[in-house]
Amino acid sequence: MEYKWYQTGAAPLENIARTEPPAGTLAFWYLGQMGLLVKGAGLTLCFDPVLNDLCNPDGTTRRNYPPPFSGGALTGVDCVICSHNHADHLNLETLLPLYRANPGIRFIVPVPEQGVLTGAGIPTSGVVGAKAHRPIGLGDGVTLTPIPAAHEAYVTDEQGDHRNLGYLLNLDGLTLYHAGDTVLTPQLLEDVKGYGPPDVACLPVNGADLERRGRNIVGNMGCRDAAIFAAGTGADLTVPLHYDMVMGNGEDPLIFASYMVRCAPGQKFHIMQLGERFLYGK
């Protein structure tokens, strides 16, 4: 399958900079894998950005397509939110240039992963540890609520803090759920439903199988489970992600579309192009 950016280089950066969503709306851009840039309520937030190469031990790339721009080229970012410590979600080759290019930026990561950032030279004052179901204020009434994620299983550290998280962003009266990497579990459905139907649900759809586990690839919900999640939570708009970046770990998003028609008839979904902007409002 061939992958191509809708925009790369200066064009998406200019598009991001000049976009100012009206009150009661939010804008988001797809950066590949689970990477999402969100603007609204005067804030610019990045979820799981990976704007660097991913290499095999022999130096060959693992990516199906190059990054659209470097982390150091992306300015005006208030906060970066990482779901867990895997190279395609939390990558210092992206985060350190973002830190240098954005004075005052904050990084939000699961509590057990704070040391990954501070150990690399990001000040402790700029790193916020996320704990399940403990809302984090981002200013101007914007909150971020961490949701436990089962990256095939729920994993906690010695203190009981989850290593894998998704996040519910409440911004300007809208809710966006970024799932991070997770399979579908009864607990996940109950956790998300407890906060009401999300307006936008961004979900991984690449699934899991024996062959990939044999290559030490930890799996996610597949296309059918993502559609079941959409139906079970009543998400207004569901966006499939995590199906295209890493060689040998992809999925056809049209399979997700087929399951949405069957499992969640009448519910909206949208398959993003790489670098595409989506404006959402009620």
Side-chain angles (χ1 to χ4, degrees), residues 5-67:
W5 286 94
Y6 171 67
Q7 291 182 323
T8 60
L13 294 170
E14 292 168 359
N15 184 259
I16 291 166
R18 70 170 181 263
T19 298
E20 296 296 340
T25 67
L26 59 83
F28 56 90
W29 290 257
Y30 181 39
L31 303 181
Q33 200 75 333
M34 286 300 290
L36 207 69
L37 186 144
V38 181
K39 289 189 79 171
L43 294 174
T44 300
L45 316 170
C46 269
F47 289 89
D48 284 355
V50 178
L51 302 172
N52 56 276
D53 200 2
L54 298 172
C55 293
N56 294 304
D58 64 1
T60 58
T61 186
R62 296 170 55 208
R63 292 186 62 132
N64 281 312
Y65 48 81

Short mmCIF file of all heavy atoms in Angstrom, two decimals, residues 5-67:
data_model
loop_
_atom_site.label_atom_id
_atom_site.label_comp_id
_atom_site.label_asym_id
_atom_site.label_seq_id
_atom_site.Cartn_x
_atom_site.Cartn_y
_atom_site.Cartn_z
N TRP A 5 1.59 12.02 1.90
CA TRP A 5 1.12 13.14 2.70
C TRP A 5 0.23 14.06 1.86
O TRP A 5 0.56 14.36 0.71
CB TRP A 5 2.30 13.94 3.25
CG TRP A 5 3.00 13.26 4.37
CD1 TRP A 5 4.11 12.46 4.27
CD2 TRP A 5 2.65 13.29 5.75
NE1 TRP A 5 4.46 12.00 5.52
CE2 TRP A 5 3.58 12.50 6.45
CE3 TRP A 5 1.63 13.93 6.47
CZ2 TRP A 5 3.54 12.31 7.82
CZ3 TRP A 5 1.58 13.74 7.84
CH2 TRP A 5 2.52 12.95 8.50
N TYR A 6 -0.85 14.51 2.47
CA TYR A 6 -1.68 15.56 1.84
C TYR A 6 -0.88 16.84 1.73
O TYR A 6 -0.93 17.55 0.72
CB TYR A 6 -2.94 15.76 2.69
CG TYR A 6 -3.78 16.94 2.28
CD1 TYR A 6 -4.44 16.95 1.06
CD2 TYR A 6 -3.94 18.04 3.12
CE1 TYR A 6 -5.22 18.04 0.67
CE2 TYR A 6 -4.71 19.12 2.75
CZ TYR A 6 -5.35 19.11 1.53
OH TYR A 6 -6.13 20.19 1.16
N GLN A 7 -0.12 17.17 2.78
CA GLN A 7 0.77 18.32 2.79
C GLN A 7 2.03 17.96 3.59
O GLN A 7 1.96 17.20 4.55
CB GLN A 7 0.12 19.54 3.46
CG GLN A 7 -1.03 20.17 2.70
CD GLN A 7 -1.55 21.39 3.45
OE1 GLN A 7 -1.60 21.42 4.68
NE2 GLN A 7 -1.95 22.41 2.70
N THR A 8 3.17 18.49 3.19
CA THR A 8 4.40 18.32 3.96
C THR A 8 5.16 19.64 3.98
O THR A 8 4.82 20.59 3.27
CB THR A 8 5.31 17.23 3.36
OG1 THR A 8 5.67 17.61 2.01
CG2 THR A 8 4.64 15.88 3.35
N GLY A 9 6.21 19.67 4.80
CA GLY A 9 7.09 20.84 4.82
C GLY A 9 6.42 22.07 5.40
O GLY A 9 5.74 22.02 6.43
N ALA A 10 6.58 23.20 4.71
CA ALA A 10 6.08 24.47 5.22
C ALA A 10 4.56 24.56 5.16
O ALA A 10 3.94 25.24 5.99
CB ALA A 10 6.70 25.63 4.43
N ALA A 11 3.93 23.88 4.20
CA ALA A 11 2.48 24.03 4.00
C ALA A 11 1.67 23.64 5.24
O ALA A 11 0.81 24.41 5.69
CB ALA A 11 2.03 23.24 2.78
N PRO A 12 1.88 22.44 5.83
CA PRO A 12 1.08 22.12 7.02
C PRO A 12 1.43 23.00 8.21
O PRO A 12 0.55 23.32 9.02
CB PRO A 12 1.42 20.65 7.29
CG PRO A 12 2.73 20.43 6.64
CD PRO A 12 2.73 21.31 5.43
N LEU A 13 2.69 23.40 8.33
CA LEU A 13 3.07 24.30 9.43
C LEU A 13 2.35 25.63 9.32
O LEU A 13 1.87 26.18 10.32
CB LEU A 13 4.58 24.50 9.43
CG LEU A 13 5.43 23.26 9.74
CD1 LEU A 13 6.90 23.53 9.48
CD2 LEU A 13 5.21 22.81 11.19
N GLU A 14 2.25 26.16 8.11
CA GLU A 14 1.52 27.41 7.90
C GLU A 14 0.03 27.22 8.15
O GLU A 14 -0.64 28.09 8.73
CB GLU A 14 1.76 27.91 6.47
CG GLU A 14 3.19 28.36 6.22
CD GLU A 14 3.48 28.59 4.75
OE1 GLU A 14 2.57 28.36 3.91
OE2 GLU A 14 4.63 28.97 4.42
N ASN A 15 -0.50 26.07 7.75
CA ASN A 15 -1.92 25.77 7.97
C ASN A 15 -2.23 25.70 9.46
O ASN A 15 -3.25 26.24 9.93
CB ASN A 15 -2.27 24.46 7.27
CG ASN A 15 -3.74 24.11 7.37
OD1 ASN A 15 -4.13 23.29 8.20
ND2 ASN A 15 -4.55 24.72 6.54
N ILE A 16 -1.35 25.05 10.21
CA ILE A 16 -1.53 24.96 11.66
C ILE A 16 -1.46 26.34 12.30
O ILE A 16 -2.29 26.70 13.13
CB ILE A 16 -0.46 24.02 12.27
CG1 ILE A 16 -0.70 22.58 11.84
CG2 ILE A 16 -0.44 24.13 13.80
CD1 ILE A 16 0.46 21.64 12.12
N ALA A 17 -0.47 27.13 11.90
CA ALA A 17 -0.27 28.44 12.51
C ALA A 17 -1.43 29.38 12.27
O ALA A 17 -1.81 30.16 13.16
CB ALA A 17 1.03 29.06 11.99
N ARG A 18 -2.02 29.35 11.08
CA ARG A 18 -3.07 30.32 10.77
C ARG A 18 -4.48 29.86 11.17
O ARG A 18 -5.42 30.65 11.13
CB ARG A 18 -3.06 30.65 9.28
CG ARG A 18 -3.51 29.54 8.35
CD ARG A 18 -3.68 30.06 6.93
NE ARG A 18 -4.12 29.01 6.03
CZ ARG A 18 -3.33 28.28 5.26
NH1 ARG A 18 -2.02 28.51 5.27
NH2 ARG A 18 -3.82 27.34 4.47
N THR A 19 -4.62 28.59 11.57
CA THR A 19 -5.93 28.08 11.96
C THR A 19 -6.27 28.52 13.38
O THR A 19 -5.53 28.23 14.32
CB THR A 19 -5.98 26.55 11.86
OG1 THR A 19 -5.78 26.15 10.51
CG2 THR A 19 -7.32 26.02 12.34
N GLU A 20 -7.38 29.22 13.52
CA GLU A 20 -7.89 29.63 14.83
C GLU A 20 -9.35 29.18 14.92
O GLU A 20 -10.24 29.86 14.45
CB GLU A 20 -7.78 31.14 15.02
CG GLU A 20 -6.35 31.67 15.05
CD GLU A 20 -5.53 31.14 16.23
OE1 GLU A 20 -6.14 30.68 17.22
OE2 GLU A 20 -4.29 31.15 16.14
N PRO A 21 -9.60 28.02 15.51
CA PRO A 21 -10.97 27.51 15.54
C PRO A 21 -11.90 28.45 16.28
O PRO A 21 -11.55 28.97 17.35
CB PRO A 21 -10.83 26.18 16.29
CG PRO A 21 -9.39 25.81 16.17
CD PRO A 21 -8.65 27.10 16.15
N PRO A 22 -13.10 28.70 15.75
CA PRO A 22 -14.06 29.53 16.46
C PRO A 22 -14.49 28.88 17.78
O PRO A 22 -14.28 27.69 17.99
CB PRO A 22 -15.25 29.61 15.48
CG PRO A 22 -14.71 29.18 14.16
CD PRO A 22 -13.59 28.24 14.45
N ALA A 23 -15.09 29.66 18.65
CA ALA A 23 -15.58 29.14 19.92
C ALA A 23 -16.52 27.96 19.66
O ALA A 23 -17.33 27.98 18.74
CB ALA A 23 -16.31 30.23 20.69
N GLY A 24 -16.40 26.93 20.49
CA GLY A 24 -17.25 25.76 20.35
C GLY A 24 -16.81 24.79 19.28
O GLY A 24 -17.56 23.87 18.94
N THR A 25 -15.61 24.98 18.75
CA THR A 25 -15.07 24.05 17.76
C THR A 25 -13.63 23.70 18.12
O THR A 25 -13.00 24.38 18.93
CB THR A 25 -15.10 24.63 16.33
OG1 THR A 25 -14.18 25.72 16.26
CG2 THR A 25 -16.50 25.13 15.96
N LEU A 26 -13.13 22.65 17.50
CA LEU A 26 -11.71 22.32 17.61
C LEU A 26 -11.21 21.86 16.25
O LEU A 26 -11.98 21.41 15.40
CB LEU A 26 -11.45 21.28 18.70
CG LEU A 26 -12.11 19.90 18.63
CD1 LEU A 26 -11.36 18.95 17.71
CD2 LEU A 26 -12.21 19.30 20.03
N ALA A 27 -9.92 22.01 16.05
CA ALA A 27 -9.27 21.55 14.82
C ALA A 27 -8.24 20.50 15.18
O ALA A 27 -7.58 20.60 16.23
CB ALA A 27 -8.61 22.71 14.09
N PHE A 28 -8.12 19.48 14.35
CA PHE A 28 -7.05 18.51 14.58
C PHE A 28 -6.46 18.05 13.25
O PHE A 28 -7.12 18.04 12.22
CB PHE A 28 -7.51 17.33 15.44
CG PHE A 28 -8.71 16.56 14.94
CD1 PHE A 28 -8.56 15.46 14.10
CD2 PHE A 28 -9.99 16.91 15.34
CE1 PHE A 28 -9.65 14.75 13.66
CE2 PHE A 28 -11.11 16.19 14.91
CZ PHE A 28 -10.93 15.10 14.08
N TRP A 29 -5.17 17.72 13.32
CA TRP A 29 -4.38 17.28 12.16
C TRP A 29 -3.82 15.90 12.46
O TRP A 29 -3.35 15.63 13.58
CB TRP A 29 -3.21 18.22 11.90
CG TRP A 29 -3.55 19.58 11.38
CD1 TRP A 29 -3.44 20.03 10.10
CD2 TRP A 29 -4.03 20.70 12.15
NE1 TRP A 29 -3.81 21.35 10.00
CE2 TRP A 29 -4.18 21.78 11.25
CE3 TRP A 29 -4.34 20.89 13.50
CZ2 TRP A 29 -4.64 23.03 11.66
CZ3 TRP A 29 -4.81 22.13 13.91
CH2 TRP A 29 -4.94 23.18 13.00
N TYR A 30 -3.81 15.03 11.44
CA TYR A 30 -3.24 13.70 11.59
C TYR A 30 -1.77 13.72 11.22
O TYR A 30 -1.41 14.08 10.09
CB TYR A 30 -4.01 12.72 10.70
CG TYR A 30 -3.54 11.29 10.79
CD1 TYR A 30 -3.16 10.73 12.00
CD2 TYR A 30 -3.50 10.48 9.66
CE1 TYR A 30 -2.73 9.42 12.09
CE2 TYR A 30 -3.08 9.16 9.73
CZ TYR A 30 -2.70 8.63 10.94
OH TYR A 30 -2.28 7.33 11.01
N LEU A 31 -0.91 13.32 12.17
CA LEU A 31 0.54 13.32 11.98
C LEU A 31 1.11 11.93 11.76
O LEU A 31 2.32 11.75 11.73
CB LEU A 31 1.22 13.97 13.19
CG LEU A 31 0.79 15.40 13.53
CD1 LEU A 31 1.56 15.90 14.73
CD2 LEU A 31 0.98 16.33 12.34
N GLY A 32 0.25 10.92 11.60
CA GLY A 32 0.70 9.55 11.39
C GLY A 32 0.70 8.75 12.68
O GLY A 32 0.90 9.28 13.77
N GLN A 33 0.46 7.42 12.56
CA GLN A 33 0.38 6.50 13.69
C GLN A 33 -0.70 7.00 14.66
O GLN A 33 -1.85 7.14 14.27
CB GLN A 33 1.74 6.33 14.37
CG GLN A 33 1.88 5.08 15.20
CD GLN A 33 2.04 3.81 14.40
OE1 GLN A 33 1.60 3.69 13.26
NE2 GLN A 33 2.68 2.81 14.99
N MET A 34 -0.39 7.30 15.92
CA MET A 34 -1.37 7.91 16.81
C MET A 34 -1.11 9.41 16.99
O MET A 34 -1.65 10.04 17.90
CB MET A 34 -1.36 7.23 18.17
CG MET A 34 -2.00 5.85 18.20
SD MET A 34 -3.75 5.79 17.72
CE MET A 34 -4.55 6.62 19.08
N GLY A 35 -0.29 9.99 16.12
CA GLY A 35 0.05 11.40 16.23
C GLY A 35 -1.10 12.31 15.84
O GLY A 35 -1.65 12.19 14.74
N LEU A 36 -1.45 13.21 16.73
CA LEU A 36 -2.55 14.14 16.49
C LEU A 36 -2.17 15.50 17.07
O LEU A 36 -1.70 15.59 18.20
CB LEU A 36 -3.82 13.62 17.19
CG LEU A 36 -5.17 14.02 16.60
CD1 LEU A 36 -5.38 13.34 15.25
CD2 LEU A 36 -6.30 13.64 17.55
N LEU A 37 -2.36 16.54 16.28
CA LEU A 37 -2.20 17.91 16.78
C LEU A 37 -3.59 18.52 16.89
O LEU A 37 -4.37 18.45 15.93
CB LEU A 37 -1.30 18.73 15.86
CG LEU A 37 -0.96 20.14 16.37
CD1 LEU A 37 0.47 20.50 15.99
CD2 LEU A 37 -1.91 21.20 15.83
N VAL A 38 -3.88 19.11 18.05
CA VAL A 38 -5.22 19.65 18.32
C VAL A 38 -5.11 21.13 18.67
O VAL A 38 -4.25 21.52 19.48
CB VAL A 38 -5.90 18.89 19.48
CG1 VAL A 38 -7.29 19.44 19.74
CG2 VAL A 38 -5.96 17.39 19.18
N LYS A 39 -5.99 21.94 18.09
CA LYS A 39 -6.08 23.35 18.45
C LYS A 39 -7.50 23.69 18.86
O LYS A 39 -8.47 23.24 18.24
CB LYS A 39 -5.66 24.25 17.27
CG LYS A 39 -4.19 24.23 16.95
CD LYS A 39 -3.81 25.31 15.93
CE LYS A 39 -3.70 26.69 16.56
NZ LYS A 39 -3.13 27.69 15.63
N GLY A 40 -7.62 24.52 19.90
CA GLY A 40 -8.91 24.99 20.37
C GLY A 40 -8.74 25.74 21.67
O GLY A 40 -7.77 25.52 22.40
N ALA A 41 -9.66 26.65 21.95
CA ALA A 41 -9.62 27.43 23.20
C ALA A 41 -8.29 28.13 23.39
O ALA A 41 -7.82 28.30 24.52
CB ALA A 41 -9.95 26.54 24.40
N GLY A 42 -7.64 28.50 22.29
CA GLY A 42 -6.38 29.22 22.37
C GLY A 42 -5.17 28.36 22.67
O GLY A 42 -4.08 28.89 22.92
N LEU A 43 -5.33 27.03 22.65
CA LEU A 43 -4.24 26.12 22.96
C LEU A 43 -3.88 25.26 21.75
O LEU A 43 -4.73 24.97 20.91
CB LEU A 43 -4.62 25.20 24.13
CG LEU A 43 -4.81 25.85 25.50
CD1 LEU A 43 -5.33 24.81 26.49
CD2 LEU A 43 -3.51 26.46 26.00
N THR A 44 -2.62 24.85 21.71
CA THR A 44 -2.14 23.91 20.70
C THR A 44 -1.52 22.73 21.43
O THR A 44 -0.57 22.90 22.21
CB THR A 44 -1.10 24.56 19.77
OG1 THR A 44 -1.70 25.67 19.11
CG2 THR A 44 -0.62 23.56 18.72
N LEU A 45 -2.07 21.54 21.20
CA LEU A 45 -1.66 20.34 21.90
C LEU A 45 -1.25 19.27 20.90
O LEU A 45 -1.85 19.15 19.83
CB LEU A 45 -2.81 19.80 22.76
CG LEU A 45 -3.61 20.81 23.59
CD1 LEU A 45 -4.85 20.16 24.18
CD2 LEU A 45 -2.74 21.39 24.69
N CYS A 46 -0.26 18.46 21.28
CA CYS A 46 0.18 17.34 20.44
C CYS A 46 0.03 16.04 21.22
O CYS A 46 0.53 15.94 22.34
CB CYS A 46 1.63 17.50 20.03
SG CYS A 46 1.87 18.36 18.48
N PHE A 47 -0.63 15.07 20.63
CA PHE A 47 -0.69 13.72 21.19
C PHE A 47 0.24 12.80 20.40
O PHE A 47 0.17 12.73 19.17
CB PHE A 47 -2.12 13.16 21.09
CG PHE A 47 -3.12 13.79 22.00
CD1 PHE A 47 -3.84 14.90 21.60
CD2 PHE A 47 -3.37 13.26 23.26
CE1 PHE A 47 -4.79 15.48 22.43
CE2 PHE A 47 -4.32 13.84 24.10
CZ PHE A 47 -5.03 14.96 23.69
N ASP A 48 1.12 12.12 21.09
CA ASP A 48 1.98 11.07 20.53
C ASP A 48 2.64 11.46 19.21
O ASP A 48 2.60 10.70 18.24
CB ASP A 48 1.17 9.78 20.34
CG ASP A 48 0.92 9.04 21.64
OD1 ASP A 48 1.44 9.46 22.69
OD2 ASP A 48 0.19 8.03 21.61
N PRO A 49 3.27 12.64 19.14
CA PRO A 49 3.93 13.00 17.88
C PRO A 49 5.23 12.23 17.69
O PRO A 49 6.03 12.09 18.62
CB PRO A 49 4.20 14.49 18.06
CG PRO A 49 4.42 14.65 19.54
CD PRO A 49 3.47 13.66 20.18
N VAL A 50 5.46 11.70 16.50
CA VAL A 50 6.73 11.07 16.15
C VAL A 50 7.17 11.69 14.82
O VAL A 50 6.69 11.32 13.75
CB VAL A 50 6.60 9.54 16.03
CG1 VAL A 50 7.94 8.91 15.62
CG2 VAL A 50 6.15 8.94 17.36
N LEU A 51 8.08 12.66 14.93
CA LEU A 51 8.50 13.45 13.77
C LEU A 51 9.97 13.19 13.45
O LEU A 51 10.69 14.07 13.03
CB LEU A 51 8.25 14.94 14.06
CG LEU A 51 6.78 15.28 14.39
CD1 LEU A 51 6.65 16.72 14.85
CD2 LEU A 51 5.88 15.01 13.19
N ASN A 52 10.37 11.95 13.66
CA ASN A 52 11.73 11.51 13.36
C ASN A 52 11.67 10.13 12.71
O ASN A 52 10.60 9.50 12.68
CB ASN A 52 12.58 11.44 14.64
CG ASN A 52 11.95 10.54 15.69
OD1 ASN A 52 11.08 10.97 16.45
ND2 ASN A 52 12.37 9.28 15.76
N ASP A 53 12.79 9.66 12.20
CA ASP A 53 12.82 8.33 11.60
C ASP A 53 12.78 7.28 12.70
O ASP A 53 13.13 7.54 13.86
CB ASP A 53 14.08 8.17 10.74
CG ASP A 53 13.96 7.05 9.73
OD1 ASP A 53 12.88 6.41 9.66
OD2 ASP A 53 14.93 6.81 9.00
N LEU A 54 12.31 6.10 12.35
CA LEU A 54 12.36 4.93 13.22
C LEU A 54 13.20 3.89 12.49
O LEU A 54 12.87 3.51 11.36
CB LEU A 54 10.95 4.38 13.48
CG LEU A 54 9.96 5.31 14.19
CD1 LEU A 54 8.57 4.70 14.19
CD2 LEU A 54 10.42 5.56 15.62
N CYS A 55 14.28 3.43 13.11
CA CYS A 55 15.25 2.60 12.39
C CYS A 55 15.36 1.20 12.99
O CYS A 55 15.24 1.01 14.20
CB CYS A 55 16.62 3.26 12.39
SG CYS A 55 16.67 4.78 11.42
N ASN A 56 15.62 0.24 12.11
CA ASN A 56 15.97 -1.11 12.51
C ASN A 56 17.43 -1.12 13.00
O ASN A 56 18.18 -0.17 12.77
CB ASN A 56 15.81 -2.05 11.32
CG ASN A 56 14.37 -2.19 10.89
OD1 ASN A 56 13.51 -2.55 11.69
ND2 ASN A 56 14.10 -1.91 9.62
N PRO A 57 17.85 -2.20 13.67
CA PRO A 57 19.25 -2.28 14.12
C PRO A 57 20.27 -2.10 13.00
O PRO A 57 21.38 -1.60 13.25
CB PRO A 57 19.33 -3.69 14.73
CG PRO A 57 17.94 -3.97 15.20
CD PRO A 57 17.05 -3.34 14.17
N ASP A 58 19.91 -2.47 11.76
CA ASP A 58 20.86 -2.31 10.65
C ASP A 58 20.81 -0.92 10.02
O ASP A 58 21.49 -0.67 9.03
CB ASP A 58 20.63 -3.38 9.58
CG ASP A 58 19.25 -3.26 8.92
OD1 ASP A 58 18.48 -2.34 9.27
OD2 ASP A 58 18.96 -4.10 8.05
N GLY A 59 20.01 -0.02 10.61
CA GLY A 59 19.95 1.35 10.12
C GLY A 59 18.90 1.62 9.08
O GLY A 59 18.67 2.78 8.71
N THR A 60 18.22 0.58 8.57
CA THR A 60 17.14 0.79 7.61
C THR A 60 15.91 1.31 8.32
O THR A 60 15.70 1.06 9.51
CB THR A 60 16.81 -0.51 6.86
OG1 THR A 60 16.44 -1.52 7.83
CG2 THR A 60 18.00 -0.98 6.05
N THR A 61 15.08 2.04 7.60
CA THR A 61 13.90 2.64 8.22
C THR A 61 12.80 1.63 8.46
O THR A 61 12.64 0.66 7.71
CB THR A 61 13.36 3.79 7.35
OG1 THR A 61 12.30 4.46 8.07
CG2 THR A 61 12.81 3.29 6.02
N ARG A 62 12.05 1.86 9.51
CA ARG A 62 10.85 1.07 9.80
C ARG A 62 9.59 1.80 9.34
O ARG A 62 8.49 1.25 9.41
CB ARG A 62 10.74 0.81 11.30
CG ARG A 62 11.86 -0.05 11.88
CD ARG A 62 11.81 -0.05 13.40
NE ARG A 62 10.50 -0.46 13.90
CZ ARG A 62 9.98 -0.07 15.06
NH1 ARG A 62 10.66 0.79 15.83
NH2 ARG A 62 8.81 -0.50 15.45
N ARG A 63 9.76 3.04 8.89
CA ARG A 63 8.60 3.85 8.51
C ARG A 63 8.20 3.60 7.06
O ARG A 63 9.04 3.45 6.18
CB ARG A 63 8.91 5.34 8.70
CG ARG A 63 9.08 5.77 10.15
CD ARG A 63 9.24 7.28 10.25
NE ARG A 63 8.07 7.98 9.77
CZ ARG A 63 7.44 8.97 10.41
NH1 ARG A 63 7.90 9.38 11.58
NH2 ARG A 63 6.38 9.54 9.89
N ASN A 64 6.89 3.61 6.83
CA ASN A 64 6.36 3.52 5.47
C ASN A 64 6.41 4.85 4.73
O ASN A 64 6.25 4.88 3.51
CB ASN A 64 4.91 3.02 5.50
CG ASN A 64 4.82 1.53 5.69
OD1 ASN A 64 5.50 0.76 5.02
ND2 ASN A 64 3.97 1.10 6.61
N TYR A 65 6.60 5.94 5.47
CA TYR A 65 6.65 7.27 4.89
C TYR A 65 7.46 8.16 5.81
O TYR A 65 7.55 7.91 7.01
CB TYR A 65 5.23 7.85 4.70
CG TYR A 65 4.35 7.72 5.92
CD1 TYR A 65 4.46 8.64 6.97
CD2 TYR A 65 3.43 6.69 6.04
CE1 TYR A 65 3.67 8.52 8.10
CE2 TYR A 65 2.64 6.56 7.18
CZ TYR A 65 2.76 7.48 8.19
OH TYR A 65 1.98 7.36 9.32
N PRO A 66 8.09 9.19 5.28
CA PRO A 66 8.91 10.07 6.12
C PRO A 66 8.04 11.00 6.96
O PRO A 66 6.84 11.19 6.67
CB PRO A 66 9.72 10.87 5.10
CG PRO A 66 8.83 10.92 3.91
CD PRO A 66 8.12 9.59 3.86
N PRO A 67 8.59 11.61 8.00
CA PRO A 67 7.84 12.63 8.76
C PRO A 67 7.52 13.82 7.86
O PRO A 67 8.24 14.10 6.90
CB PRO A 67 8.80 13.03 9.89
CG PRO A 67 9.82 11.95 9.94
CD PRO A 67 9.94 11.40 8.56
#
